[in-house]
Amino acid sequence: MGLEFAKQQDQNDKLSAFRSKFHIPKDKNGNEVIYMTGNSLGLQPKITKDYINQELEDWANLGVDGHTNAKNPWLNYHEYLTETMAHIVGAKPIEVVVMNSLTVNLHLMMVSFYKPTPKRYKILIEADAFPSDKYAVESQLRHHGYDYKEGVILWKSGPSEELANYEDLETILEEHGEDIALVMIGGVNYYTGQFFDLKRITQLSHSYGCTVGFDCAHGAGNVQLNLHDSGADFAVWCSYKYLNSGPGSLAGAFVHERHAYKKELNRFTGWWSHNKDKRFKMRDEFDQLPGAEGWQLSNPTILSMAAIRASLDVFKEAGFDQLCEKSKQLTGYFEFLINKLNNSDIKIITPSNPDERGCQLSIQVKNADRSLHHKLSDAGIISDWREPDVIRCAPTPLYNSYRDIYELVERLKTILN
Ligand SMILES: Cc1ncc(COP(=O)(O)O)c(C=O)c1O
């Protein structure tokens, strides 16, 4: 399982050529770094520049006519993204749209799916939810006139456990289910890397009459989310992590098909939520567009969407099922090498069951501080530090190799010794 094994695995890997389709950052000596932060900002596909340049050229040459006459007419540019994005998150095209950024989409979804009443107004989130989700949820409570501290129920793990477990969720819902309006969970927890059973959470929560939404920032492009089958009411995700679409790029939103034609659902609207066949008649009464597209407000953001399109084309070429398969192998190898270090100061807090995680391993290092992260950076490893003592590493199947994993663990071993 040493260097020769890693090299052999790379040779046998049918997806290994995809690494050369990405720009891999280099250290100050000109060597490629070991990039383990695809869970934070994915690397740039080499074709992205061409996709963006196409739109810049059409803008330069056509001006406003690009809306209809560009090589890829801009008016409905978001539609070019829908099919592949829907495939990646396991949804039907009518359930998916790319628009805005994640937290904005989360608010738009809560406008429609958080319908508090004096009896049922609480929101359940996981204890270690991503801060932006927590703040968004609290502000929705305040917006509706509720005490934001009283209104949030936390799905906590036991005192010495890092991972949330379903028995605790069942107990919370048994006790408070009738008070909870919305269950809003991170599909893959950003800190532990735990991939939740979305269907189980949805079915359980629905049985208590709660609506259910997922933040899939750490799931999209990383794991098979199967959003449609999960039955969730909504989900949101960003495209700059595993979906490699560039810093701050646009986000996705999913609204389950059963809500697609509910014109009565309360929502915020703009001209892009209006019937697209009559959009430019300008003086017509508002006519709600069906499906997830009906949550759009504004016309598409072309340059960012061009980057998403480039990335999705890479995913399409590689095949998402194959990527997920490789991801399991790669992370399994990583876990094996970490465990083989046999270092009692190190503990992987991510679930060991491959079906309960994506590619990320969150490694807790006893008594470590941020200096460990700096040492890793000096050794050419780009990883991610989360207070108080966790290194997050996410080997992604599109551009990380078995050799990367081997080198990473060797260098970590040297640093820890
Ligand atoms: C799990 C999760 N949720 C929400 C966000 C916030 O995303 P945005 O700034 O795009 O709204 C992030 C950002 O990293 C995240 O990781």
Side-chain angles (χ1 to χ4, degrees), residues 124-127 153-157 163-177 180 182-185 196-208 210 212 214:
L124 184 140
I125 58 174
E126 81 263 38
I153 296 184
L154 296 180
W155 176 16
K156 275 200 191 112
S157 43
L163 303 175
N165 75 64
Y166 298 98
E167 289 70 33
D168 291 338
L169 181 64
E170 281 163 18
T171 309
I172 295 173
L173 284 164
E174 260 168 40
E175 281 176 24
H176 304 284
I180 296 171
L182 171 67
V183 173
M184 222 307 290
I185 305 291
F196 291 110
D197 184 336
L198 308 191
K199 192 170 187 166
R200 182 170 176 180
I201 293 173
T202 303
Q203 286 180 343
L204 183 64
S205 307
H206 278 173
S207 73
Y208 287 91
C210 321
V212 180
F214 293 105

Side-chain angles (χ1 to χ4, degrees), residues 39-40 101-104 106 130-133 186 188-190 215-218 238 240-241 248-249 251 386 392:
N39 56 350
S40 183
S101 49
L102 189 159
T103 309
V104 174
L106 178 56
F130 192 81
S132 195
D133 293 358
V188 175
N189 181 269
Y190 81 100
D215 168 356
C216 294
H218 285 264
C238 57
Y240 45 76
K241 297 179 189 293
S249 194
R386 280 286 174 265
R392 298 186 310 170

Side-chain angles (χ1 to χ4, degrees), residues 19 28 32 43 67 78 87 114 124 128 166 256 263 297 322 331 341 366 374 393 402 407:
R19 180 181 174 91
K28 52 184 184 299
E32 284 182 350
L43 291 181
H67 284 300
H78 64 279
H87 176 70
Y114 173 52
L124 184 140
D128 210 356
Y166 298 98
H256 198 277
K263 292 193 177 185
L297 303 179
Q322 286 91 299
T331 298
L341 290 177
K366 215 192 259 173
H374 297 313
C393 292
Y402 289 85
E407 295 287 350

Side-chain angles (χ1 to χ4, degrees), residues 11-28:
Q11 258 177 27
N12 297 343
D13 170 16
K14 290 194 192 75
L15 295 171
S16 60
F18 278 84
R19 180 181 174 91
S20 67
K21 293 180 188 283
F22 286 83
H23 291 287
I24 313 282
K26 297 203 166 79
D27 66 16
K28 52 184 184 299

